[in-house]
Amino acid sequence: MLRMSKLFLRTLRDDPSDAEVPSHRLLVRAGYIRRAAPGGFTWLPLGWMTYRKVEDIIRDEMNKAGFQEVHFPALLPREPYEATGRWTEYGPNLFRLKDRRDNDFLLAPTHEEMFTLIVRDLFSSYRDLPLSIYQIQTKYRDEARPRAGLLRGREFVMKDSYSFDVDDEGLESSYNRHREAYISTFDRLQLPYVIVSAMSGAMGGSASEEFLAPIDVGEDTFVQCTSCGYAANTEAVNVAVSKPTDAVHPDALVVDTPDTPTIDTLVSHLNSAADTQQPDHQWASEDTLKNVLLNLVHPDGRIEPLAIGIPGNREVDLKRVEAQVAPAEPIPFTDADFAAHPTLIKGYIGPKAVGVDSPSGIRYLVDPRVVHGTAWVTGANSPGHHVINLVCGRDFTPDGTIEAAEVLEGDPCSNCGSAMTIARGIEIGHIFQLGRKYATALDLKVLDAEGQQITVTMGSYGIGVSRAVAAIAESHHDENGLCWPRAVAPADIHLVIAGKDDGPQRPAAETLAAELEAAGVAVLFDDREGVSPGVKFKDAELIGIPTIVIVGRGITDGLVEVKDRLTGERSDLPIGEVTAHLLALVQAP
RNA sequence: CGGGCUGUAGCGCAGCUUGGUUAGCGCGCUUGUCUGGGGGACAAGAGGUCGCGAGUUCGAAUCUCGCCAGCCCGACCA
């Protein structure tokens, strides 16, 4: 039993000024967590109990699925990460430090290397596989900008699993077992989620999905099809592509378009100038082909310029580009870059100035909607001039396609063509098939049935444990405070004495509390003296235990009040029946 | 890493423009009395390196410079 008279807790009447998102605000106000470092939080008793409930559910589901728990150090030597290249590739987000003999160490941001190495050390036969092992561990990332409390810290807890299989079918099966385990886990945590297609990114590999809790404060943007259920992180969306057309277009024609360096100015010029006006059709921004230049910075420092052609009604989405070109990093051209490429006229760049066979030699990739037979208005590579009716495949041929254009609300689904919606989400889980990248780099092989060495294929699966606590808070609160799902609440029942300190309420509540505890119900007992009922009620709502029991003025008639935190529904029950009633509530599935 | 805002008691804030006794208010905390179903009242208290460091000045919370930290937007982010 937790007695509030003794509990290490102080609730705050005002919102902390540095907290913006609800989970951060309420967890601090209700006395669950406290900021201790940039991006680091102390868990106070109520918070730690909730955290442990979440962790236990995750652990339980992992164990049920047959995965085995291990535990690595967070402090690791440089060598394994050197072997996979991540010591440098991980960049500034890696916490690096030195010991007294000047050896390099790091605080692990994730543990692929260590898991791979330990399996290599212990196992050497296909008969040992498949294997899935996991840990629940504190991770460190030197985030440029920790924010939103627990949602993005520099120190956080993650459950990370790794699967090891001899072939692709095995990997597929391990992947699906994790997917199922994640579904059960998030269902138990009562976290709403959408499973979206994701990029496997620099990690390599193929299949990759994210579990996103659809909450506006989330940092990921995803699309969802209103009809077929397709969902994807915007980084991973494939645009719906029209078929190549056989339409016959007039010859390409260069027209004077003075002072039209932007799509807007170009479109309004086309619609007003005598030589370009069309009787039956207003020019629109989607008729234009916008050519944007980027520099790709490769991990080895090499810089490669890249030209991207997209419909003029859209912007380039750098996140999407990065997902395509990883591990290279895309950076927009600066004025200095344009100066270094005098054949590229900013605002008037056309397909003829770019492409590997052009004078510039710059690789030219276009949006997949720019297909054979489509006609475009685009730059004529001369200030104040554009060309109309420039036909892809006839007048120019790009070097390839790239998913670079921003995704807009209402865009057609690439699967079924229906309109897609866009929403934000918190990434609460990520599962993906790593393949053989780490096994190859660290030489993880086993003998197959024929006695041949084969490289193991791996999967990697993460759940942010501390982030899950915040995500639950984000999806389970109201203006008065938290409303925990029963499975993760720090106690089952919040029992409040509402009466004079020497009134009959106290002995009745004490008896009830003892009875509940004896029946196995975890009670947070507000037995504080000299605290008015109003204060206790406010605290109870802030703290958010799902059922609040009030021993108050009804006690003279032998009644206590049972209140549902979420619905506000209340009922008076004879004190003799309360324990059975609450027990049923708590044990309800 | 760029732009904007901010840093004064556990929490929320005023004071800074125009430098000047002992830095103030509300909440919270301590003691007492009253109160006792929605953060109650009165009284008396405790609690501060004014983010840190230099500088200007007879004198700096206040002015200048540098740094650090926080929040928001963007960049970044298996």
Side-chain angles (χ1 to χ4, degrees), chain A residues 31 90 108 114 152 166 236 296 324 361 381 457 464 472 496 545 563:
Chain A
Y90 214 94
M114 304 311 290
R152 175 166 297 279
V166 291
L296 300 186
Q324 319 289 315
N381 300 307
T457 184
I472 296 169
V496 174
I545 289 166
K563 182 178 171 185

Side-chain angles (χ1 to χ4, degrees), chain A residues 512 547 549-550 554-555 557-563 570-582 585:
Chain A
L512 179 57
T547 304
V549 176
I550 301 154
I555 198 65
D557 302 320
L559 295 175
V560 302
E561 185 177 323
V562 176
K563 182 178 171 185
R570 44 176 89 192
S571 54
D572 288 316
L573 292 177
I575 192 160
E577 297 172 16
V578 175
T579 301
H581 175 79
L582 295 177
L585 259 189

Side-chain angles (χ1 to χ4, degrees), chain A residues 496-515:
Chain A
V496 174
I497 301 175
K500 294 190 180 186
D501 290 338
D502 55 357
Q505 288 84 4
R506 176 164 297 268
E510 285 284 356
T511 307
L512 179 57
E515 213 175 293

Side-chain angles (χ1 to χ4, degrees), chain A residues 107-123:
Chain A
L107 292 173
T110 172
H111 280 77
E112 279 81 1
E113 284 82 355
M114 304 311 290
F115 273 84
T116 308
L117 287 171
I118 197 102
V119 173
R120 187 187 73 181
D121 281 353
L122 297 181
F123 277 8

